[in-house]
């Protein structure tokens, strides 16, 4: 009965998708109530941090455009802001190439 209520089924579905790493579906989900917006903004940051953690151990270098797309940024400028605020160990070279420090 409660599972049919979108206010309950929405967070349950998010949890399931997060557990298996289906981030595209997590971020594409329509919120059932405007009060969920703040939660979704925080969740977006958490998802981006998780993707960033995976990127930096999976690649030695990566084009900014590709990293921005993977991390669900609208443009490269948003990624550059993220790097400046949260990933000071990422190096931008030649204007469009990210280099990651070895762990």
């Amino acid at each position: 009965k409660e599972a049919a209520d979108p206010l309950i089924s929405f967070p349950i579905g998010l949890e399931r998708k997060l557990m298996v790493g289906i981030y595209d579906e997590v971020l594409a989900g329509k919120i059932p109530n405007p009060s969920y917006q703040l939660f979704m903004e925080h969740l977006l940051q958490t998802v981006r941090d998780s993707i960033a953690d995976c990127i930096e151990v999976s690649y030695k270098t990566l084009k900014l455009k590709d990293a921005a797309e993977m991390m669900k940024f609208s443009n490269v400028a948003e990624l550059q802001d993220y790097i400046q605020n949260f990933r000071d160990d990422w190096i931008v070279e030649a204007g469009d190439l990210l280099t990651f420090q070895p762990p």
Side-chain angles (χ1 to χ4, degrees), residues 3 12-13 19 22 27 30-31 35 38 41 44 49 51 59 62 67 69 73 87-88 97 103:
I12 291 171
M19 289 176 66
I22 309 174
L27 300 177
K30 300 284 184 189
I31 59 173
S35 64
L38 179 64
E41 290 169 10
L44 175 60
D49 289 340
I51 293 169
Y59 297 90
L62 187 64
E69 184 178 328
F73 286 109
R87 298 289 170 159
D88 58 356
L97 189 67

Side-chain angles (χ1 to χ4, degrees), residues 11-45:
I12 291 171
L14 281 179
E15 179 188 23
R16 289 179 182 153
K17 292 170 187 171
L18 283 170
M19 289 176 66
V20 295
I22 309 174
Y23 297 134
D24 285 338
E25 289 183 22
V26 169
L27 300 177
K30 300 284 184 189
I31 59 173
N33 186 294
S35 64
Y36 282 53
Q37 187 59 42
L38 179 64
F39 169 73
M40 291 304 292
E41 290 169 10
H42 288 285
L43 186 59
L44 175 60
Q45 181 66 36

Side-chain angles (χ1 to χ4, degrees), residues 72-83:
K72 312 302 179 199
F73 286 109
S74 300
N75 55 55
V76 170
E78 288 180 3
L79 171 62
Q80 289 172 321
D81 287 343
Y82 174 84
I83 292 168

Side-chain angles (χ1 to χ4, degrees), residues 40-71:
M40 291 304 292
E41 290 169 10
H42 288 285
L43 186 59
L44 175 60
Q45 181 66 36
T46 300
V47 167
R48 284 185 173 147
D49 289 340
S50 181
I51 293 169
D53 291 342
C54 293
I55 286 174
E56 68 185 9
V57 297
S58 300
Y59 297 90
K60 290 182 181 179
T61 61
L62 187 64
K63 290 202 174 284
L64 282 172
K65 179 180 72 84
D66 296 333
E69 184 178 328
M70 287 179 183
M71 294 179 66

